[in-house]
Amino acid sequence: MIDRAKKTEQAGSSLIEVLIAVLVVSVGLLGTAGLQLASLKNNQSAMQRSEAVVLTYSILDRMRANRDVAAAGNYDVALPADLANCAAPGNGSLAEQDLTEWVAEIQSALGAGVACGAVDCDSNFNCTVTIQWDDSLSTGGNAAQQVVTEGKI
């Protein structure tokens, strides 16, 4: 009779252990999902920075092909105060065509209305290329990201 009493006291304890184990595993899986989401956001941001660097070298290579015109300042364009107002100068000269294509590439890679580029060259063939974009969706942090590349053409 004593053995039966001990067995009935233990009934149901394994169910509680299973419920606690399920709770612990659930919390662990939620943590893993959160880490995965943060990783995806940061990878998106890193990819955008890499694309911005490639795009800065793209316009520098175009200017190297048209060096004298670039040194004269025909490729110079400033960043607008509002990235939504980013516009290329037109399609008249080769420099204008290059800038129009470059701005289109920036907006295609980094987002239309949230990305733009600037170029500033001096007469000694030293150029500074800046690309700015809104990165708030990727990192959840600072919206304004910039990549600045200085080069000699």
Side-chain angles (χ1 to χ4, degrees):
M1 190 110 172
I2 295 175
D3 290 337
R4 285 187 183 173
K6 287 183 181 179
K7 287 183 181 178
T8 56
E9 289 176 11
Q10 293 296 320
S13 65
S14 63
L15 181 61
I16 292 172
E17 292 171 355
V18 169
L19 289 174
I20 291 173
V22 167
L23 178 67
V24 169
V25 169
S26 299
V27 169
L29 289 175
L30 284 174
T32 302
L35 285 173
Q36 184 70 21
L37 180 63
S39 175
L40 288 173
K41 284 183 177 182
N42 289 329
N43 282 341
Q44 174 70 21
S45 181
M47 183 185 73
Q48 287 179 333
R49 283 191 300 274
S50 296
E51 287 177 348
V53 169
V54 169
L55 288 167
T56 60
Y57 284 108
S58 169
I59 194 66
L60 284 170
D61 287 341
R62 292 174 192 213
M63 290 188 300
R64 284 184 184 104
N66 202 3
R67 189 171 189 237
D68 293 331
V69 174
N74 292 346
Y75 278 88
D76 291 1
V77 62
L79 276 174
D82 182 13
L83 294 179
N85 296 328
C86 183
N91 284 327
S93 67
L94 178 59
E96 290 174 344
Q97 289 175 4
D98 285 344
L99 287 170
T100 299
E101 291 172 5
W102 182 61
V103 168
E105 289 172 0
I106 291 171
Q107 292 185 345
S108 174
L110 301 175
V114 296
C116 198
V119 177
D120 182 32
C121 293
D122 64 20
S123 59
N124 294 325
F125 303 105
N126 297 312
C127 296
T128 302
V129 179
T130 305
I131 295 181
Q132 182 173 330
W133 72 98
D134 182 353
D135 195 29
S136 60
L137 292 177
S138 295
T139 61
N142 188 5
Q145 293 290 322
Q146 266 192 355
V147 168
V148 179
T149 303
E150 295 180 359
K152 192 164 188 88
I153 56 171

